[in-house]
Amino acid sequence: MPASYPQYAIRRRMDRLTNLWQHFAEAPEKRLCIWTIASEENQMMEAFYQREISEAGEIGDLFLRFEAGFPASQAYGQALVSELSAMIEADREAMGEEDLQIDWQAQPIQPGQSDQAYLLEQMASFAKSMAELDGKFVLYLMPEAMSHPQQWEEWMQNLLKHEIPEMLRFMLLTREEVGFGEDLEKIFPTKISCIAPKLEMHKALEEIASAGNPADPGVQFRKAYIALSQAASEGELSVAEVKGQEALEIAQKQQWHDMQFSVWLLLGTAYQNHGKPSHAHARFFSALNCATQVKPAPFSAKLQVQALMARASLHIHTRDWQLAQPYYQQATEKAEEAGDPFYLMETARMAALCDEKEDELDRAWIFLMKAFEAGKELDPETRPHTTFPFVGSAILRIGPKAGKAREADQIERQMPELAGEDWMNQTNLSVKSL
């Protein structure tokens, strides 16, 4: 079977990532890998990471993702060590069932020891305790909050000035348009590799979309939709419009209302991203009309939420809160119909923001209570990583002005349990600035 067969499109790209990583990891002096990726490559990088932390991993290195924010409530290196301890503790029961034991415990930082030196000491100690580890221990740094990028880069510089143990590697992900890492690589050329994998994911999607009978409407729609996506991402709006109409014609003939919705929403987003709000508004309106025809009703309601939020975002961009608010209010109602707590939290939060900007504080408080109650229904592990902390900060900000200071104080006492002790730092605010 030829290697270009569509089912191998993803495998070939996964193999490329594997080869690039092994070339980096085996270089004797390299310690930090900065993947510089295009936005469409993000899913492949996540798939690469997920494969390597599973039993299907092919490399032999131990990858662990660290999400402590920067700045953290404690020094960043100490926060990473604490995060590793928390990971081990969380998995201890499962490891016991598999007769696995990790004979490692974090030690306290010594007087005068730098934050970076402490991190390297503890991580090397952990790696040495893993008798079954044949490869490297890879710290995949992905801060969930980043309020001071320049300070974080300075922290990384100080890390790289240290002698990093041979069994450790660090990995970061950045978008190609950001350009993070270029200055670091100039300072530490022997320790850093900035790698642009150039996976050409649009070609992979084209291969996958072309699989099957060319006369099949599903194949035809996929090809047109992927061509639309590619044109939209490159700002070729005239091409995007043509491909969009091709996809719409197929979907209309098949009465695929949800597919029509997707096309209209993508076209609207393309026009919005390239400064054509009137074009975007018309296409978001068409997306909303298609969403109302989708079955079953809960799925239809979710699609309507997306379309309404897209229309509202056009007014948020121009800071026209009064025009945006009704769309968020309608979206809140649809999110309730859909029974989706995440959508309900987000739509109610944004409705409250619009009301706050227009000094409609009583109504803003009502929406914040909806957002708060919806947020409490989210999975406890994912809740701190959503916009729920922003709901909490808005409650503290608006409560006293809306005559709800006591209620706001009660909620403030609940927030550490619901969103983590560091929840306020995630909003990049302090209570005093509220």
Side-chain angles (χ1 to χ4, degrees):
M1 186 176 293
S4 60
Y5 199 76
Q7 73 184 73
Y8 287 101
I10 300 301
R11 178 69 209 192
R12 291 198 309 276
R13 286 158 176 83
M14 190 70 80
D15 288 345
R16 175 167 174 75
L17 292 176
T18 300
N19 292 335
L20 288 170
W21 171 262
Q22 289 179 323
H23 181 74
F24 156 78
E26 292 169 3
E29 296 184 358
K30 297 294 185 181
R31 294 296 183 267
L32 171 60
C33 173
I34 302 177
W35 295 100
T36 304
I37 65 170
S39 58
E40 63 268 17
E41 293 172 334
N42 193 62
Q43 288 186 336
M44 276 299 302
M45 292 304 307
E46 179 63 16
F48 171 75
Y49 170 72
Q50 291 295 334
R51 185 194 70 180
E52 290 308 314
I53 64 173
S54 73
E55 294 182 358
E58 299 181 3
I59 293 176
D61 296 335
L62 173 62
F63 288 77
L64 286 181
R65 177 156 53 200
F66 293 81
E67 298 179 343
F70 188 95
S73 56
Q74 58 188 140
Y76 185 57
Q78 295 175 58
L80 296 176
V81 173
S82 296
E83 189 172 356
L84 176 60
S85 296
M87 289 183 204
I88 294 172
E89 189 60 35
D91 290 342
R92 195 172 297 282
E93 183 177 343
M95 290 187 295
E97 293 175 356
E98 299 179 13
D99 293 326
L100 297 175
Q101 296 295 329
I102 295 181
D103 186 21
W104 178 84
Q105 188 171 4
Q107 301 301 310
I109 189 169
Q110 298 300 310
Q113 188 176 32
S114 74
D115 187 52
Q116 290 84 356
Y118 173 68
L119 171 69
L120 295 174
E121 174 191 75
Q122 295 302 305
M123 294 301 171
S125 170
F126 168 75
K128 290 175 183 177
S129 74
M130 300 288 288
E132 67 276 15
L133 178 61
D134 295 325
K136 315 298 183 187
F137 174 32
V138 184
L139 288 78
Y140 178 14
L141 304 184
M142 185 178 281
E144 63 184 5
M146 176 63 65
S147 57
H148 296 86
Q150 184 60 42
Q151 291 181 17
W152 192 59
E153 186 168 346
E154 291 171 2
W155 189 94
M156 293 298 301
Q157 285 189 32
N158 289 329
L159 173 71
L160 291 162
K161 289 176 183 177
H162 288 73
E163 188 68 30
I164 299 177
E166 197 278 333
M167 78 279 289
L168 299 183
R169 295 292 184 273
F170 290 83
M171 185 172 92
L172 306 176
L173 214 62
T174 186
R175 294 289 175 83
E176 57 186 6
E177 62 269 19
V178 175
F180 177 84
E182 295 175 357
D183 292 338
L184 280 176
E185 190 176 26
K186 291 176 183 176
I187 301 171
F188 304 99
T190 61
K191 289 187 174 182
I192 297 178
S193 288
C194 290
I195 303 175
K198 299 188 182 302
L199 300 178
E200 297 183 314
M201 293 306 299
H202 63 284
K203 291 186 177 179
L205 294 175
E206 289 171 2
E207 290 182 56
I208 295 169
S210 299
N213 182 359
D216 183 272
V219 174
Q220 295 173 349
F221 177 84
R222 289 198 303 270
K223 290 181 67 176
Y225 188 82
I226 288 172
L228 158 63
S229 301
Q230 183 64 22
S233 67
E234 295 176 355
E236 297 178 354
L237 298 182
S238 58
V239 176
E241 190 68 42
V242 170
K243 294 301 179 182
Q245 292 304 319
E246 287 181 14
L248 282 169
E249 184 177 348
I250 298 166
Q252 287 164 355
K253 286 181 179 179
Q254 302 299 318
Q255 296 187 337
W256 294 337
H257 300 298
D258 54 340
M259 296 295 99
Q260 294 174 56
F261 165 85
S262 297
V263 172
W264 285 121
L265 194 70
L266 180 53
L267 280 171
T269 302
Y271 280 112
Q272 180 181 18
N273 290 342
H274 291 86
K276 294 183 179 293
S278 60
H279 291 72
H281 190 84
R283 283 149 186 82
F284 288 151
F285 182 76
S286 296
L288 181 60
N289 284 339
C290 290
T292 62
Q293 301 176 63
V294 171
K295 304 294 182 184
F299 182 42
S300 171
K302 284 187 179 183
L303 298 186
Q304 290 179 64
V305 169
Q306 294 177 40
L308 288 164
M309 292 184 73
R311 296 183 77 182
S313 69
L314 294 170
H315 299 301
I316 291 292
H317 182 71
T318 58
R319 306 182 74 80
D320 196 332
W321 314 105
Q322 190 173 19
L323 289 179
Q325 199 279 345
Y327 290 118
Y328 284 122
Q329 184 167 335
Q330 292 177 56
T332 299
E333 295 167 1
K334 291 299 175 183
E336 288 179 310
E337 290 180 20
D340 189 304
F342 177 79
Y343 274 151
L344 179 55
M345 178 187 72
E346 190 59 12
T347 54
R349 182 182 74 87
M350 290 304 295
L353 174 64
C354 294
D355 281 332
E356 179 189 6
K357 296 294 185 180
E358 291 296 309
D359 206 30
E360 295 283 352
L361 299 182
D362 290 341
R363 190 167 64 184
W365 180 260
I366 292 172
F367 279 114
L368 282 175
M369 291 302 96
K370 284 181 179 287
F372 181 71
E373 293 301 323
K376 287 164 61 178
E377 295 182 29
L378 299 176
D379 177 74
E381 291 188 5
T382 60
R383 187 190 299 122
H385 311 300
T386 67
T387 56
F388 185 73
F390 290 89
V391 174
S393 67
I395 288 172
L396 299 190
R397 184 173 64 246
I398 293 173
K401 294 185 288 186
K404 302 290 185 180
R406 180 179 299 177
E407 292 89 337
D409 287 344
Q410 292 173 347
I411 289 173
E412 182 179 12
R413 288 193 288 271
Q414 298 177 50
M415 287 300 294
E417 181 179 353
L418 293 170
E421 293 292 337
D422 201 36
W423 75 272
M424 185 61 75
N425 284 340
Q426 294 186 50
T427 67
N428 298 330
L429 297 170
S430 66
V431 175
K432 291 181 179 179
S433 69
L434 296 173

